[in-house]
């Protein structure tokens, strides 16, 4: 196990989290782990990252997480024993609906991109969406219930899986750009929620078990969302029986 926190909450220079067989990166800090403006965090294929409650990655620089089909990158809860073993040493399998200690949406914060850029491929994000911050030892919720939040950022997501979010899988805000292709959203209240007034395209994706909406465009720009799977052959709701598309 590698302790990501290691006494600091800021990555201020270019950093690489390298893959070693059997190694898991764990962050048991509170609030935001910053990637500062001008710094790039690069994550190698095959790396597993486990976050403790309230912890999230806040990126003002650049995030490069490019896995492969054979060696995907995983961001998940400290309670998720399906990757990296029993990190929290509770002696329980801690995954699957039959376990009372199972990992669940909101176990950790998520990824917040603030005037940042990111390239994400073959990455799985699961069980996030409760982002708290630490101010003088006092933890407070700064109202980001999203697994991925993009604010005025450029985001590329290809072959990415987002599942078991506490609320929203991807929130696209304030003139952000999103390249979302060949990816999967499963088990979230909202799949992709957009307030940015920028034309976006998303194709060849899968949206399943989104209980409120699969896609909601609250902005004024057009969204090209053809050639996606909405969970049913009839297409998205309200015209079909799949996930709801609004806007």
């Amino acid at each position: 196990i590698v302790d990501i926190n290691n006494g600091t909450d800021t990555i201020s220079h270019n950093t690489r989290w390298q893959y070693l067989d059997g190694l898991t990166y764990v962050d048991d800090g509170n609030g935001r782990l910053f990637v500062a403006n001008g710094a790039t965090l690069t994550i190698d294929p095959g790396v597993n990252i486990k976050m403790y409650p309230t912890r999230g990655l806040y990126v003002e620089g650049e995030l490069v997480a490019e896995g492969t089909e054979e060696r995907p990158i995983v961001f998940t809860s400290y309670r998720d024993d399906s990757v990296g073993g029993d990190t929290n040493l509770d002696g329980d399998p801690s995954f699957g609906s039959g376990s009372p200690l199972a990992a669940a949406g909101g176990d950790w914060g998520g990824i917040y991109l603030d005037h940042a850029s990111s390239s994400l491929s073959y990455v799985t994000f699961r069980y996030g969406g409760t982002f708290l911050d630490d101010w003088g030892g006092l933890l407070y919720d700064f109202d980001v219930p999203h697994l991925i939040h993009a604010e005025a950022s450029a985001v590329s997501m290809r072959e990415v899986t987002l599942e078991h979010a506490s609320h929203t899988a991807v929130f696209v805000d304030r003139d952000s750009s999103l390249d979302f292709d060949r990816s999967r959203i499963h088990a979230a209240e909202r799949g992709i929620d957009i307030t940015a007034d920028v034309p976006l395209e998303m194709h060849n994706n899968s949206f399943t078990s989104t209980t409120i909406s699969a896609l909601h465009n609250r902005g004024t720009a057009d969204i090209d969302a053809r050639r996606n799977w909405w969970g049913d052959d009839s297409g998205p709701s309200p015209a079909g029986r799949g996930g709801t598309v609004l806007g």
Side-chain angles (χ1 to χ4, degrees):
I1 292 176
V2 174
D3 184 359
I4 297 172
N5 187 26
N6 198 28
T8 182
D9 288 325
T10 302
I11 296 171
S12 57
H13 57 276
N14 293 345
T15 300
R16 179 181 295 274
W17 291 350
Q18 296 179 312
Y19 171 81
L20 289 173
D21 189 28
L23 186 68
T24 299
Y25 287 76
V26 176
D27 192 341
D28 59 359
N30 292 320
R32 312 182 208 189
L33 174 62
F34 282 93
V35 179
N37 185 21
T40 298
L41 173 61
T42 301
I43 303 174
D44 284 351
V47 169
N48 296 323
I49 302 106
K50 291 189 172 185
M51 295 285 195
Y52 270 65
T54 79
R55 195 60 157 173
L57 193 62
Y58 194 103
V59 183
E60 294 177 332
E62 183 175 9
L63 174 63
V64 178
E66 297 176 344
T68 66
E69 186 173 4
E70 296 76 22
R71 288 167 53 190
I73 296 165
V74 179
F75 279 86
T76 190
S77 162
Y78 72 108
R79 296 197 296 173
D80 182 3
D81 295 349
S82 68
V83 294
D86 186 10
T87 303
N88 60 335
L89 302 177
D90 64 357
D92 189 271
S94 299
F95 60 92
S97 58
S99 169
L101 301 176
D107 272 357
W108 62 285
I111 310 295
Y112 195 108
L113 302 162
D114 184 359
H115 294 76
S117 64
S118 67
S119 178
L120 311 173
S121 58
Y122 290 101
V123 187
T124 293
F125 300 93
R126 62 170 72 117
Y127 300 124
T130 301
F131 213 146
L132 304 183
D133 206 358
D134 186 353
W135 183 70
L138 176 66
L139 292 175
Y140 64 93
D141 184 345
F142 69 105
D143 195 24
V144 185
H146 315 133
L147 196 47
I148 305 286
H149 184 114
E151 180 177 345
S153 296
V155 185
S156 173
M157 303 175 72
R158 294 173 178 265
E159 302 284 1
V160 168
T161 296
L162 304 108
E163 55 189 3
H164 305 292
S166 61
H167 295 284
T168 304
V170 181
F171 191 87
V172 186
D173 193 13
R174 288 191 57 198
D175 299 328
S176 292
S177 63
L178 174 65
D179 178 10
F180 193 72
D181 186 46
R182 302 190 303 277
S183 294
R184 173 177 178 261
I185 291 176
H186 173 71
E189 289 186 1
R190 303 179 187 274
I192 299 180
D193 211 338
I194 300 167
T195 62
D197 291 322
V198 176
L200 301 176
E201 293 188 13
M202 53 191 71
H203 305 297
N204 310 307
N205 304 294
S206 170
F207 297 81
T208 56
S209 299
T210 52
T211 56
I212 295 177
S213 61
L215 172 63
H216 191 170
N217 180 19
R218 304 172 189 269
T220 59
D222 292 334
I223 307 297
D224 184 352
R226 294 172 294 178
R227 303 190 304 279
N228 293 296
W229 168 251
W230 304 101
D232 192 273
D233 287 336
S234 62
S237 174
R241 296 186 298 274
T244 301
V245 173
L246 302 171

